[in-house]
Amino acid sequence: MSYKLTNSVLVILLGVLVVVVFFVRRDFKARNAELLPGMVEYVAYNSQSANPNFADGKTLQMPVEGTVARGFVPLRYKATPEDAKRAGEEMRSPLAGDKSGNLDRGAAVFATFCQPCHGSGGGGDGVIAQRGFPPPPSLLADNARKMKDGQAFHIITFGQRNMPSLASQVLREDRWRVIDYVRSLQSKTMHASKQ
Ligand code: HEC
């Protein structure tokens, strides 16, 4: 009995709705009303949006000429072996005194960006080398041990023969950290290489 009652009430309501919709004459080409639109349309400009406050009408502005972005001081070196040697003489790690956490970070960077070629222990036997890429020299060999940090930094930054530049993948500070990590690998195997 009550079902019948409910159903007839619902049918009447539906009829009322249809009539209301007909009289409201909603424009289906217009946008819906937005409830609390503050999260979608915020006050700040989007980087790519037009901006009436600047002469060129863009939000993203070029850096002022002659300025240097923090952390991106230009490196005055070319990708040549001579400049790699010069970097070895001139460049010093900015982290020198501060070892806290650097080795852990260096190890993570090594595992991600160097190990595929240089191998987990730096021996030059990474998976890529095992599958036909010309194997790099061991980082535990005398040449790498005697190499100055600045020269290694130059090699990571600019590449050297078969080693590509990793400048776009590895942050500058991380390059110094990974060099510290390679040094720690070298000192662990000091005995082995002297035998
Ligand atoms: C795509 C493979 C590859 C990757 C990735 C790579 N290297 Fe190399 N690396 C090489 C090769 C090949 C050489 C030898 C280049 C040459 O012939 O002079 C080399 C040389 C070097 C040398 C000089 C060694 C010497 O005795 O002359 C250092 C130092 C070095 N790599 C450090 C690194 C570090 C640190 C990373 C990670 C941030 C890295 N490499 C990533 C392939 C790679």
Side-chain angles (χ1 to χ4, degrees), residues 118-137:
H118 285 278
S120 56
D125 52 354
V127 277
I128 293 179
Q130 286 167 26
R131 284 164 201 238
F133 189 86

Side-chain angles (χ1 to χ4, degrees), residues 109-110 113-118 128 133-139 141 143-145 147 151-152 155-156 160-164 166 170 175 178-179 182:
V109 172
F110 188 87
F113 295 104
C114 321
Q115 183 172 316
C117 296
H118 285 278
I128 293 179
F133 189 86
S138 171
L139 294 178
N143 192 49
R145 281 175 194 275
M147 181 179 286
Q151 184 172 352
I155 293 175
I156 304 171
Q160 177 177 280
R161 286 187 288 248
N162 283 326
M163 175 167 156
L166 293 169
V170 182
R175 288 174 225 163
V178 80
I179 292 168
V182 169

Side-chain angles (χ1 to χ4, degrees), residues 36-104:
L36 303 179
M39 295 287 278
V40 183
E41 288 163 27
Y42 41 87
V43 186
Y45 288 99
N46 284 317
S47 320
Q48 310 291 337
S49 64
N51 191 319
N53 301 309
F54 291 111
D56 62 0
K58 297 174 183 172
T59 297
L60 267 189
Q61 295 292 298
M62 292 295 283
V64 176
E65 212 163 305
T67 53
V68 172
R70 227 176 240 222
F72 290 90
V73 178
L75 295 172
R76 310 208 179 279
Y77 297 99
K78 296 203 184 85
T80 60
E82 297 74 39
D83 273 24
K85 281 249 175 323
R86 187 161 67 82
E89 298 305 325
E90 296 172 354
M91 294 192 87
R92 294 284 172 275
S93 169
L95 313 168
D98 166 30
K99 300 282 179 205
S100 52
N102 283 338
L103 273 190
D104 286 349

